[in-house]
Amino acid sequence: MKITKKRLAHIVFESDDWASKTFDIVLLFLIFGSILVSILDSVASLRSTYGTLFIVLEWLFTALFTVEYVLRVWLSRKPSGYIFSFYGIVDLLAILPSYLSFFVVNSQLLAVVRALRLLRVIRILKLGRYISEAEYLQRSLRASTHKIMIFIGFVVTIVLIMGTLMFIIEGPEHGFTSIPVGMYWAIVTLTTVGFGDITPATPLGQFVSSIIMLMGYAIIAVPTGIVSSEMASQRKKDEAAHLISCSNCGKENVNPSDNFCGNCGVKLR
Amino acid sequence: MKITKKRLAHIVFESDDWASKTFDIVLLFLIFGSILVSILDSVASLRSTYGTLFIVLEWLFTALFTVEYVLRVWLSRKPSGYIFSFYGIVDLLAILPSYLSFFVVNSQLLAVVRALRLLRVIRILKLGRYISEAEYLQRSLRASTHKIMIFIGFVVTIVLIMGTLMFIIEGPEHGFTSIPVGMYWAIVTLTTVGFGDITPATPLGQFVSSIIMLMGYAIIAVPTGIVSSEMASQRKKDEAAHLISCSNCGKENVNPSDNFCGNCGVKLR
Amino acid sequence: MKITKKRLAHIVFESDDWASKTFDIVLLFLIFGSILVSILDSVASLRSTYGTLFIVLEWLFTALFTVEYVLRVWLSRKPSGYIFSFYGIVDLLAILPSYLSFFVVNSQLLAVVRALRLLRVIRILKLGRYISEAEYLQRSLRASTHKIMIFIGFVVTIVLIMGTLMFIIEGPEHGFTSIPVGMYWAIVTLTTVGFGDITPATPLGQFVSSIIMLMGYAIIAVPTGIVSSEMASQRKKDEAAHLISCSNCGKENVNPSDNFCGNCGVKLR
Amino acid sequence: MKITKKRLAHIVFESDDWASKTFDIVLLFLIFGSILVSILDSVASLRSTYGTLFIVLEWLFTALFTVEYVLRVWLSRKPSGYIFSFYGIVDLLAILPSYLSFFVVNSQLLAVVRALRLLRVIRILKLGRYISEAEYLQRSLRASTHKIMIFIGFVVTIVLIMGTLMFIIEGPEHGFTSIPVGMYWAIVTLTTVGFGDITPATPLGQFVSSIIMLMGYAIIAVPTGIVSSEMASQRKKDEAAHLISCSNCGKENVNPSDNFCGNCGVKLR
């Protein structure tokens, strides 16, 4: 069987038959494999033992991802559309750092670029049966964006005021060396993370901290309330969208899984 | 009164009369007792004083649980069904470690197996009046599974990217010795646990941490929103399932605890 | 004006006229005052300076609360009913420690008894306009009790298993000195408190901790879901209870603040 | 074009044409700029390098905000109304500290007054398209105020009792130096912040802490529940307020964005 360009495009872009599903699964394994190698390579003891193996595997993954990238550009109906799309950039960034390593000597900068390869994991979310739920989540979050922006603005205002207050009260001698550090502490405290790397030592500082923490208590309820009520609303819309009307008597909100209209008894399907 | 096999099966598997309830309660006390002994045995000071007592009690519990296990296998209509069921395996694991201690010298491995006895506590949930509520919780969680899986995938992606970022920014000199350690730190931070065993020390690291924490703030709202809206939906279904229709006038949503239809006054039961 | 016993009982037990309101407000100030003195007395530097003043005030408060207690016993229609009620016991415990201090030499034990005086603050919740909201909260929490008990049982099971696991994995050399300490750590972690006094040091321990923390993430959603859906349900019942039906046309769900029925125009009041 | 007083008042107080929008945007930049300078000025290393620049900029901002303040007082229809309003006081406090620095030598006190300038950021919330959402949030929070007050009273009671208990159990030797410190610790723990600066060291203290943390688990659900159910209720009211009835057939809950009644087909507008 000769593989045409159209057939190849089908394998790469769709996932509804044997060949295209295999392509997706192999790609998935490559993505997970390359991430795993990146992670293991960062562990000093493993690097010293398996360093060469990791380098070889790194180049193997880069080669395969390069092939994938070239295929996607070549097979796209509109290559420029793909290249400048989100995933097009992600795919490019996944192979670029390895090639850059020929030119870049600064290993720190290299690591930054390499880290971007991890963005490929987002692709996983594109696959499989979970799509409708992902969209459900996405829609809820998008509908809440305005409210969450307001909320973040509100939190930043509190963080600014509280960070400044604590900088004034506690001062550099207790670790609050500047307003930015005070703001970092205020975020750590308001979000209830509480690392404990910087803590109030004066009675007044502890009192103000207590106020901040009790505020955090009430504040943490707000995004939850926003997302919850948004999700409940989305769910209601979804359920409403699934209901139909009886074409005979006009009764609304008929469950589409019913066979007969509950009002007039006419056969629905 | 001679106890037949059928009567014995009733005592072991049901809990609706005096004998079967007593069996359940005695078993409950044995489970709690054996857990308590395991816990106390782990405290070094208590072990050195009461060590021999604990060993004796341990064997007593093992003997009684062995009797229970043999009874359950013997009395089951389909023994293999019980043996390979979840609780069958739990029951076996509850007695196996003691017998294994004859053969196993490695006390660490022994402790692992012994810990599995604790799974017996799940049995408590099977008893008593709380069953309907437990099912309610279970149903809500099962219905949310898809959404929570998506969400965990989303969190893991963030953890991967943030852990790598912080490993690059802070580096081994501030405790971020590898990407896995960075990911551990990202989980500690995103979940707002914040142990403080590893904390960012550079201004850039503190800035990125602040972003992560504010994200955690918004993210923590998502599972709550999912579970809340799922529970509200389950509750509505439950309430709807309990409502009946009047057979005389056709009024819907009649509360089944009413004796007369509120609309036409016809006796409902 | 001679004050009769009946009048005095009205002043003590009711709060609907000038005298009885004054009594409540004075009592409130005494309660807050005595709590404040207890708190300030615990600060070493203040105690050394104002110690004598605190002792004098302590005895003054004790004398006044004794008068209040005797009055309440004397004025109750059924004194034994008051004495053995929750508030009767609280009132007794509020004065007992001071008298006990004549006999008890152990200051630690004394402090424990003295702490119970603080329970008087609960009385504040009985007063004022917030009663209906307090009942609303109480009803929501009471209705959720079953579900929250199940949930606590579920959490304790996880804490038991995880505490044991971490005790096995990390062991006494990393601070996990016994299963109870492991369980304490598991609670600190699951509830996202994260003191950081005990933290996992081995890679496996950090991995298991990450799992626990992600579980805590999902688990924290459950009580919120329970309480939220319960509150939404209570609110709906409250709103439904406030709606009336039109006595003319039978239209249901008429807002009682309306003057006319929105359907037939009949005057409602 | 001569600028009349009326025109100037329009520019300062409204934001519906080119000039008034420009005024708002310039003011916004000035506010952000002055905050940024305050923050950067607090970083010791930047202060030593750019200290003089910061002082010059500080005086520039003060001068411009003074012009703004004088304009607002002069242009207000009722100047005293503006001066004693919330924003009037905020505007005054934004310029006062700089002038006070001539007289005040104590730099700590000065810093406190200077910090109040940050309150200007609240003004941002007044601007832009987010107003309706901000009002939505505000309304939900205001409607929940009573319930949240009750809740805070409840939390303070627990904090008082638990702080005292831990002071008694752990004592000064483990960091619980007084009841106020114990209460600070109880707040840190109940809100799940968990700095770890003070931690229980005795087994009994760890047990009581575990109880507090599990309570915190349940308690954190309450404000979320309050805000969530309040938001859901507000949303429902908002949606209901937007629905209209058909004037021809009487069909209720017609979406006002429709042009024709979905029931009878009559033109709605």
Side-chain angles (χ1 to χ4, degrees), chain B residues 41-253:
Chain B
D41 192 44
S42 77
V43 183
S45 63
L46 292 175
R47 184 176 217 160
S48 62
T49 320
Y50 305 105
T52 325
L53 176 66
F54 290 156
I55 290 169
V56 171
L57 283 170
E58 196 67 56
W59 277 110
L60 182 69
F61 288 126
T62 303
L64 290 166
F65 287 144
T66 307
V67 170
E68 184 217 350
Y69 183 68
V70 169
L71 270 177
R72 281 183 192 274
V73 171
W74 178 51
L75 296 169
S76 288
R77 267 180 233 171
K78 205 190 151 210
S80 68
Y82 165 69
I83 290 170
F84 297 106
S85 72
F86 177 69
Y87 286 114
I89 292 162
V90 168
D91 288 351
L92 185 60
L93 288 171
I95 51 173
L96 219 60
S98 303
Y99 295 118
L100 278 176
S101 63
F102 282 123
F103 311 103
V104 179
V105 186
N106 185 330
S107 66
Q108 281 241 324
L109 189 71
L110 190 67
V112 174
V113 190
R114 193 178 285 163
L116 289 165
R117 168 171 310 157
L118 306 173
L119 281 171
R120 285 184 89 97
V121 292
I122 294 165
R123 280 216 162 150
I124 297 157
L125 299 176
K126 287 181 63 153
L127 300 171
R129 52 197 287 241
Y130 294 124
I131 284 174
S132 63
E133 265 87 16
E135 270 168 14
Y136 171 87
L137 274 177
Q138 231 170 61
R139 242 180 324 144
S140 292
L141 284 174
R142 206 176 310 137
S144 318
T145 307
H146 272 340
K147 281 175 202 125
I148 285 179
M149 292 303 285
I150 297 274
F151 174 71
I152 296 280
F154 177 61
V155 167
V156 168
T157 308
I158 292 177
V159 162
L160 194 60
I161 295 167
M162 289 302 178
T164 308
L165 255 183
M166 291 301 287
F167 168 64
I168 293 161
I169 295 170
E170 293 280 332
E173 62 271 28
H174 297 132
F176 293 79
T177 49
S178 66
I179 291 179
V181 169
M183 288 170 71
Y184 161 73
W185 175 86
I187 291 174
V188 167
T189 305
L190 255 193
T191 55
T192 77
V193 170
F195 283 134
D197 50 350
I198 308 166
T199 52
T202 64
L204 182 58
Q206 292 181 340
F207 180 73
V208 173
S209 302
S210 299
I211 305 291
I212 297 174
M213 284 179 260
L214 287 176
M215 280 171 67
Y217 220 40
I219 287 173
I220 214 165
V222 175
T224 308
I226 293 170
V227 174
S228 286
S229 83
E230 201 58 55
M231 277 186 176
S233 168
Q234 288 287 347
R235 169 186 291 275
K236 217 174 279 170
K237 275 181 205 161
D238 274 21
E239 283 169 356
H242 285 129
L243 296 175
I244 57 169
S245 292
C246 172
S247 56
N248 183 50
C249 66
K251 188 174 178 280
E252 285 172 331
N253 299 340

Side-chain angles (χ1 to χ4, degrees), chain D residues 199-257:
Chain D
T199 50
T202 64
L204 181 59
Q206 292 181 341
F207 179 74
V208 172
S209 303
S210 299
I211 305 291
I212 297 174
M213 284 178 258
L214 288 176
M215 280 172 66
Y217 220 40
I219 287 172
I220 215 164
V222 174
T224 310
I226 294 170
V227 174
S228 286
S229 83
E230 201 60 55
M231 276 185 176
S233 167
Q234 289 287 346
R235 168 184 291 272
K236 215 174 282 171
K237 277 183 203 158
D238 275 22
E239 283 170 357
H242 286 126
L243 296 174
I244 58 168
S245 290
C246 172
S247 57
N248 184 49
C249 68
K251 187 174 177 282
E252 287 173 330
N253 300 340
V254 176
N255 196 320
S257 65

Side-chain angles (χ1 to χ4, degrees), chain A residues 125-155:
Chain A
L125 299 176
K126 286 182 64 153
L127 299 172
R129 53 197 288 242
Y130 294 124
I131 285 173
S132 63
E133 265 88 16
E135 268 168 14
Y136 170 89
L137 273 177
Q138 229 170 60
R139 241 181 325 145
S140 292
L141 284 174
R142 206 177 307 138
S144 320
T145 307
H146 273 339
K147 281 175 203 127
I148 284 178
M149 292 303 285
I150 296 273
F151 175 71
I152 296 282
F154 177 62
V155 167

Side-chain angles (χ1 to χ4, degrees), chain B residues 5-32:
Chain B
K5 188 179 169 185
K6 197 182 160 192
R7 175 77 188 126
L8 212 59
H10 186 94
I11 291 171
V12 172
F13 295 117
E14 307 295 323
S15 61
D16 53 5
D17 60 2
W18 181 87
S20 54
K21 272 185 186 160
T22 305
F23 179 85
D24 282 351
I25 289 165
V26 167
L27 198 61
L28 227 97
F29 271 93
L30 288 178
I31 293 167
F32 279 123

Side-chain angles (χ1 to χ4, degrees), chain D residues 2 9 19 29 54 57 65 70 80 87 122 124 130 148 156 183 199 206 209 216 235 238 256 262:
Chain D
K2 199 166 154 279
F29 271 94
F54 290 154
L57 282 170
F65 287 143
V70 169
S80 68
Y87 286 113
I122 293 165
I124 297 157
Y130 294 125
I148 285 179
V156 168
M183 288 171 73
T199 50
Q206 292 181 341
S209 303
R235 168 184 291 272
D238 275 22

